[in-house]
Amino acid sequence: MAGMDNVDHHVARWASFWKDDPRFVPEIEGALVRIYEITKLAKRADAAAFAANADFTLEDYQTLHALMVQPYPSQEATPAQLADTTRVTRAAMTSRLDRLVEAGLVTREVDPTDRRRVLIRPTAAGREAWDKHIFEGLARDREMLGVL
């Protein structure tokens, strides 16, 4: 069993337990456990990358990212849409947006066509911050997955 990693050992244990059961497919179990492990590593790397920066948090990045990749052509969204996309409460999104508005990374304006709606748009500084951090994240991902 030389050259085996913890996932290989996990799959081997389960395979020996269910050796005669066709419902257990070792290749699928191994692939899913590896995907889970890669996801954990990526989340840890992202958290570590933002941990030292109190001026721009991982939550700030996630909110800007949700705004920048909205399916809407003008890169604008309502706070509710952003909350839904980032899977946070609307109250949490309000706090995030307060912080981003104060930092000059987004604007919060009443929709001129429907005064009941508020529209969030990135500023030039917001686009710049997102661009910087997305490419840093892509570099972390490339390094992490380079071993594959």
Side-chain angles (χ1 to χ4, degrees):
M1 292 207 167
M4 290 179 63
D5 65 9
N6 65 332
V7 175
D8 294 324
H9 290 290
H10 163 84
V11 172
R13 278 191 307 275
W14 284 105
S16 68
F17 183 73
W18 283 318
K19 62 183 169 222
D20 297 321
D21 192 329
R23 296 174 299 173
F24 179 74
V25 181
E27 295 81 9
I28 292 175
E29 179 69 11
L32 291 174
V33 172
R34 286 185 195 288
I35 289 167
Y36 173 73
E37 292 295 322
I38 289 168
T39 301
K40 278 193 330 188
L41 287 172
K43 286 181 179 183
R44 282 188 199 141
D46 286 346
F50 287 93
N53 188 352
D55 294 332
F56 192 79
T57 66
L58 179 57
E59 291 78 13
D60 293 336
Y61 168 75
Q62 290 166 337
T63 304
L64 261 180
H65 184 71
L67 181 59
M68 297 298 290
V69 298
Q70 281 292 320
Y72 315 106
S74 58
Q75 288 182 333
E76 66 183 26
T78 67
Q81 289 168 322
L82 292 172
D84 291 345
T85 300
T86 56
R87 296 185 179 123
V88 299
T89 66
R90 296 190 177 173
M93 183 52 64
T94 297
S95 296
R96 286 182 179 195
L97 292 173
D98 288 347
R99 182 178 163 84
L100 291 170
V101 167
E102 187 176 319
L105 300 176
V106 300
T107 61
R108 180 190 280 145
E109 299 169 5
V110 173
D111 184 345
T113 63
D114 182 351
R115 297 194 49 77
R116 297 169 295 176
R117 286 175 32 123
V118 172
L119 296 175
I120 307 302
R121 293 185 182 98
T123 64
R127 285 185 186 91
E128 199 174 295
W130 176 77
D131 188 68
K132 172 186 183 287
H133 291 285
I134 186 109
F135 283 103
E136 288 175 0
L138 291 172
R140 284 191 304 276
D141 294 345
R142 194 170 36 257
E143 183 179 331
M144 178 183 60
L145 294 175
V147 297
L148 298 178

